[in-house]
Amino acid sequence: MWIEPEEVLLVGALWVSERANPFFILQRRRGHGRGGGLSGLLVGTLDVVLDSSARVAPYRILLQTADSQVYWNIACGSSRKEITEHWDWLESNLLQTISIFDNDEDVITFVKGKISGIIAEEKRLKQGEEQEEDSGKFREAELKMRRLFGMPEEEKLVNYYSCSYWKGRVPRQGWVYLSINHLCFYSFLLGKEVTLVIPWMEVTQLEKNATLVFPESIRVSTRHTEHYFSMFLNINDTFKLMEQLANIAMRQLLDNEAFAADRSLPKPCKTLKNVSTLKRDFDARAKNERYRAMFRLTQDERLDGHTDCTLWTPFAKMHIVGQLFISNNYICFSSREEDLCQLIIPLREVSIVEKADSSSVLPCPVSISTKNKMTFLFANLKDREFLVQRISDFLQRTPDSSWFDTSPPSLIGSSVCQSYLTLFGPQNHISQSEFLLSSGSRGPGTQSCVCMYRTSRTRELVLNGIPECLRGELWLLFSGAQNELATHPGYYGDLVEQAMGMCSLATDEIERDLHRSMPEHRAFQNETGIAALRRVLTAYAHRNPGIGYCQAMNIVTSVLLLYCTEEQAFWLLVALCERMLPDYYNTRVVGALVDQGVFEDLTRSSLPQLYEHMQELGVISTISLSWFLTLFLSVMPFDSAVLLVDCFFYEGIKVIFQVALTVLLDNMDALLSSSDEGEAMTVLGRYLDNVVNKQTVAPPIPHLHAVLTSGDEPPPEIDIFDLIKSSYEKFGSLSSDVIEQMRFKQRLKVIQSLEDTAKRSVVRAMMTESAFSIEELEELYCLFKSKHMTSCYWGSSSSAAERHDPSLPYLEQYRIDPVQFSQLFSALAPWVCGGHTTTLSSRLFRLLDQNQDQLVNFKEFITGLSGMYHGDMTEKLKLLYKLHLPPGNSSLVAQHNINRDDTLVLDSEEVKDKGGDVEEKKGENQGPQVKDYRYYLRMWAKEKEPKKETIKDLPRMNQEQFIEFCKTLYNMFSEDPSEQELYHAIATVASLLLRIGEVGKKFGNGGKMQETTSQTLPISAEQEEEPDEGTSGEALLCQALADAQLEPAVLQTSDEENKDDTESSYSVVSSGSLLCEDIAHDTVLIGAEQRQGSTLDVDWSITFEQVLASLLTEPVLVEYFERKMDIQAKMATCKAQRVVERQVSSPSEQELMHHST
């Protein structure tokens, strides 16, 4: 490409001149291309270590003048073809012009001006296109990544770092490239090249560690290998980016969500050196996620900025140092000291934002007033003017809260306006006033609590139990559900109305579990409570079909309904499933499995002796799922468990981990003495059954498990408040950040383990339906899945998300489209047909695509592949035969559909006749009604029974299909050792089958067919002398096969293929050089002249038995189709294909290698 002219002082040190004229020099970098010796190795090593642009553009053109020692670099190129085009342009357009200049300075000025003009024109033409924000240095690195690793343009580089890769005991200094879907490393040291490509989807473990062998390194583990990278300039930044990219890959595996760049990011004031737009996107994502998690905000909330400040707290009469966060809908504050103070102010509640008077005590203050008469004073703001203006801009875009109508929808009934505890249970008003005073609220009600101060005192009150009259409101506030409730008026009512009357798998499961949701509570012993629970669960399943319904959601939702209205319970359920317990309730409960792994790690580090014993018993995995999925509600008395729910909504998942560890610690001695899993489960079950709430005013609700497991000697009671207090004393140091780090580590393990389980399930299911070995099926599954996943991030003709349905069986989850199927077929199929391979692939795809959705799943793919590899001759020929009948042969699908419609009409008439017979029998016998239903059920079951297809069930093949069949056979034999013999054999068989079809036509139609043939087919003079009704079909076959034979000759256009002096049988037959004596006397393929007037004989047809019998007469054909094929070599080639592509240099450079000299 043309570049802005820049001075070059050292011309010959690291470059080799290849062309020159009086004004220009074309140079190549030493070590690039043809050898270079020791100096080339040193230069190549230097380029890699220093990240020189010469690795991307190893060619350049310099401007020179006779009297000057200064040269100007005006163009560079990544290949010889590119730089040669620039050189030719200079010689054609500039060389003659500048040769007439007298002054060298004029030459330099003219050329520099011309080059600058070309660059300006190129930029002008690109103005209508999307402007690239990335720096030139970064675009250069991205181009280098694509050249080194063979990546397409769709693969976007996020960032790259200098580091060392430990290969054995020797570190290789190079560069690691982190793209959206791959981790790549390249090193070139003294002729030793190291290239590494790891898809993020294959990463099973990613951790940062420091050992004596690998100082401060990052370990990247896959299923089979481990890779170590060290000597980073900023290892923390690199590791965080790796975590983000691995998380995106796991999300793709989990629910097929491809990465989408955020186009709404604010543009930087200046282009950041070596920082891509995607890197800024990832940094913004990380900040947004942390911001949303810290303040429990919705997923669409984006942080606009943050600044240091102080907040005046009237309850403590002091200024608290912290940070102020501004986003599109909220103003938030968090103290520098953890848990000291936190504040969330929704902009919809803000009435006035103004600058207060500044003083030495209170510099640069800003006052924010809300509609419920609360005022918040922030001070020590660095840029007060900009902050106030920014908040004002957001306020102008914020709808007024009076627009929101939070009244419940009238379609559901009056019961939604109150919680079910107010209808069916007593209320407790203890400590309500203390709670309101400590929060800074001015009175009861949701509006007064929205902007409450959350302090250490607030946490103490929550740990001592929220008053029942405030519990629902505070759950909404602490979870962030209150904000969604306020900003989505009427949303729940609309969902209920839309979901009403709909039937699905989720609704069936909901109906099954409704009466098992807290059956001991009065609220759910009548239809009123059950109907409310049904509406909430059904509405959420309709809102989020990806989750739908999962067991344990009914238990949690029933507790929410006791303290909230239906609409409030719905939004609390949204907060639980989508933010506070991510991925807990999806089809594979991934989130719960992840936290189960975190719990095991915490047990290992905190209670190592107990952990080893419980791992032997296998108890941890059994107990943790029920504890986490239901938040202890299913294993603990209700009055005690609801206090844990209070703490959970305020503190998050850390409370559940703390309490779970405390339960194990309190029962350590009994668990260590347990000899089996059942005994350990009994110990824990009896302990949890006796966790009581001694402060409740309601009569205790007996837990079902306690009733069943109570023994003669009742165990001691455990006060829930003592349990919570003990958990904070012993495990209170556990932080949310540590849990998130552990979750990331476990998420990689869990999702990859689920993928391995899916693979094993698929292999087990296919073992009985194919003849491939276990290892072969596993490799084929990986290749098939890889092809599907590639479309997720590199695009395809259909959306990958639409083609992946996690609710389907594992065999049917991953599906590929015709293009991907063709690629796999070409790489793996044993029938290589040259240019005809694509046609054969599309026919097989249509044959396997039984539901005609243009997608093929793994089971269908293996079915077709297994028939080609492991079927006997009959099975292989049957498959080949069916490929040329509808639906495999697309040109005949329309006619096939017409025939099928006729068949359906006939079938319906037969059914009517049978129905009439049944009615007559019913009238005669006057039998009971049950008999008729059983009869229809038997008939239906008989129709549904799979019928094994026999060769007699195959339809007849007409002449057009037979010609296509012969063309396929001719293309299949290319490059076979017995190629010539196979051509002779198939010519003999084709002639024989043509005559068989003619004979069959005579017997089937008699003189009528002969008369029709004489009218439709023109007869030549030769035919009049020797009448033969098969000549028309033979002529068509001859012409079609001649066309088929010419295909490979047309395709062979490259220089390498033209070097082959041997002629294939294609060219021999098509040129008419095949002699009559070389084949059987009745073969019709020896004539070179074509009968132009020939038309298809619509009455000609043959059966599969005739095809099979004819082919069996030729031993060479029998040997070909009975030959055992090995798929291992093709799978190895398919896996190594991308590696080979990366290592082959560009063809344009090879083509012009001689041209350079």
Side-chain angles (χ1 to χ4, degrees), residues 3-199:
I3 60 176
E4 288 290 346
E6 56 185 13
E7 289 188 8
V8 177
L9 297 178
L10 295 175
V11 177
L14 303 177
W15 296 82
V16 178
S17 297
E18 296 197 340
R19 294 188 189 181
N21 59 42
F23 297 99
F24 302 106
I25 302 175
L26 190 154
Q27 292 187 325
R28 172 179 54 84
R29 189 74 165 179
R30 289 186 185 274
H32 180 80
R34 299 167 297 172
L38 180 60
S39 62
L41 295 179
L42 292 174
V43 173
T45 301
L46 191 65
D47 288 341
V48 171
V49 173
L50 299 180
D51 191 31
S52 170
S53 60
R55 292 298 298 179
V56 180
Y59 299 95
R60 70 180 183 181
I61 297 176
L62 301 180
L63 169 65
Q64 65 168 354
T65 57
D67 299 331
S68 176
Q69 298 298 319
V70 178
Y71 294 78
W72 297 86
N73 189 5
I74 60 173
C76 64
S78 59
S79 66
R80 191 177 300 274
K81 180 179 180 180
E82 180 184 2
I83 203 68
T84 304
E85 289 176 355
H86 288 356
W87 178 267
D88 293 340
W89 187 90
L90 290 171
E91 287 188 330
S92 303
N93 297 277
L94 291 188
L95 191 58
Q96 187 175 2
T97 303
I98 62 179
S99 62
I100 62 176
F101 285 17
D102 296 331
N103 190 347
D104 290 343
E105 291 296 328
D106 293 341
V107 171
I108 294 174
T109 303
F110 177 79
V111 174
K112 289 171 62 176
K114 194 68 175 176
I115 299 301
S116 299
I118 294 174
I119 296 173
E121 181 66 16
E122 290 178 349
K123 289 182 178 179
R124 187 188 66 79
L125 293 175
K126 290 182 179 180
Q127 282 181 355
E129 304 174 4
E130 182 179 358
Q131 295 295 319
E132 294 182 343
E133 297 179 6
D134 298 336
S135 65
K137 185 70 174 175
F138 187 85
R139 291 198 299 271
E140 189 178 280
E142 188 170 39
L143 177 61
K144 184 190 300 183
M145 179 201 74
R146 289 174 183 158
R147 288 188 64 247
L148 291 174
F149 307 105
M151 299 292 179
E153 290 188 4
E154 291 83 359
E155 185 69 4
K156 301 297 182 182
L157 177 65
V158 181
N159 212 353
Y160 64 105
Y161 303 91
S162 173
C163 69
S164 292
Y165 170 60
W166 292 79
K167 192 171 183 180
R169 297 182 179 181
V170 181
R172 302 296 179 93
Q173 185 65 29
W175 292 84
V176 62
Y177 299 87
L178 305 181
S179 68
I180 294 294
N181 305 293
H182 297 88
L183 182 153
C184 309
F185 177 84
Y186 180 79
S187 173
F188 181 85
L189 295 177
L190 300 178
K192 297 291 185 180
E193 188 176 36
V194 176
T195 304
L196 177 69
V197 178
I198 305 173

Side-chain angles (χ1 to χ4, degrees), residues 597-884:
V598 173
F599 182 56
E600 291 183 4
D601 284 350
L602 291 172
T603 308
R604 183 193 295 112
S605 58
S606 304
L607 309 169
Q609 184 180 0
L610 180 61
Y611 170 78
E612 293 178 2
H613 183 67
M614 294 193 67
Q615 281 296 98
E616 294 176 0
L617 300 180
V619 177
I620 294 182
S621 59
T622 305
I623 60 175
S624 55
L625 271 182
S626 59
W627 291 2
F628 294 136
L629 277 171
T630 64
L631 305 176
F632 284 96
L633 287 167
S634 64
V635 295
M636 195 179 286
F638 169 74
D639 292 323
S640 302
V642 76
L643 294 175
L644 288 181
V645 178
D646 291 344
C647 301
F648 167 76
F649 277 121
Y650 187 80
E651 292 276 29
I653 194 64
K654 62 170 286 188
V655 177
I656 306 301
F657 284 117
Q658 290 174 189
V659 172
L661 290 171
T662 306
V663 170
L664 294 183
L665 181 62
D666 290 350
N667 294 276
M668 179 180 287
D669 295 336
L671 290 172
L672 287 174
S673 61
S674 300
S675 57
D676 56 32
E677 180 185 0
E679 187 177 352
M681 293 293 292
T682 302
V683 169
L684 293 173
R686 296 191 68 183
Y687 176 87
L688 292 172
D689 288 337
N690 289 276
V691 177
V692 298
N693 180 3
K694 296 181 179 180
Q695 296 184 9
T696 182
V697 297
I701 300 174
H703 197 268
L704 183 62
H705 189 266
V707 175
L708 296 177
T709 59
S710 59
D712 298 333
E713 183 181 350
E717 292 183 344
I718 301 94
D719 191 350
I720 182 62
F721 296 103
D722 293 338
L723 179 61
I724 294 174
K725 182 180 179 181
S726 177
S727 72
Y728 273 89
E729 291 174 351
K730 296 172 182 175
F731 304 102
S733 59
L734 185 62
S735 68
S736 300
D737 291 340
V738 172
I739 291 175
E740 285 304 316
Q741 279 288 339
M742 299 176 74
R743 274 179 166 178
F744 165 75
K745 180 181 176 182
Q746 292 297 326
R747 191 177 294 113
L748 294 179
K749 289 183 179 178
V750 167
I751 294 180
Q752 297 291 12
S753 175
L754 289 173
E755 291 297 313
D756 291 340
T757 302
K759 181 171 70 173
R760 287 192 294 269
S761 301
V762 169
V763 169
R764 277 199 304 269
M766 291 305 300
M767 282 296 294
T768 58
E769 300 190 23
S770 71
F772 289 115
S773 65
I774 295 178
E775 294 77 13
E776 290 172 343
L777 283 173
E778 288 181 346
E779 290 292 336
L780 288 170
Y781 179 80
C782 292
L783 290 173
F784 187 90
K785 176 185 167 187
S786 174
K787 186 62 67 176
H788 166 86
M789 298 308 298
T790 300
S791 65
C792 294
Y793 47 78
W794 284 350
S796 180
S797 57
S798 58
S799 171
E802 295 175 359
R803 289 186 278 123
H804 179 258
D805 187 357
S807 63
L808 292 174
Y810 288 131
L811 279 171
E812 303 174 15
Q813 281 190 10
Y814 295 115
R815 296 178 288 178
I816 58 177
D817 59 22
V819 176
Q820 297 169 317
F821 181 85
S822 178
Q823 294 169 354
L824 283 179
F825 181 88
S826 301
L828 299 174
W831 297 341
V832 180
C833 301
H836 199 64
T837 303
T838 305
T839 304
L840 196 64
S841 166
S842 60
R843 288 176 176 173
L844 180 58
F845 182 89
R846 286 190 293 269
L847 183 66
L848 297 176
D849 183 19
Q850 297 180 359
N851 57 358
Q852 297 183 358
D853 61 351
Q854 292 298 302
L855 296 171
V856 165
N857 59 42
F858 182 70
K859 180 179 180 181
E860 294 166 339
F861 174 74
I862 290 298
T863 301
L865 204 60
S866 180
M868 290 187 284
Y869 271 99
H870 299 292
D872 55 16
M873 180 177 179
T874 304
E875 292 296 323
K876 292 178 180 177
L877 286 174
K878 186 195 297 185
L879 176 61
L880 203 58
Y881 184 87
K882 289 166 69 175
L883 290 180
H884 297 82

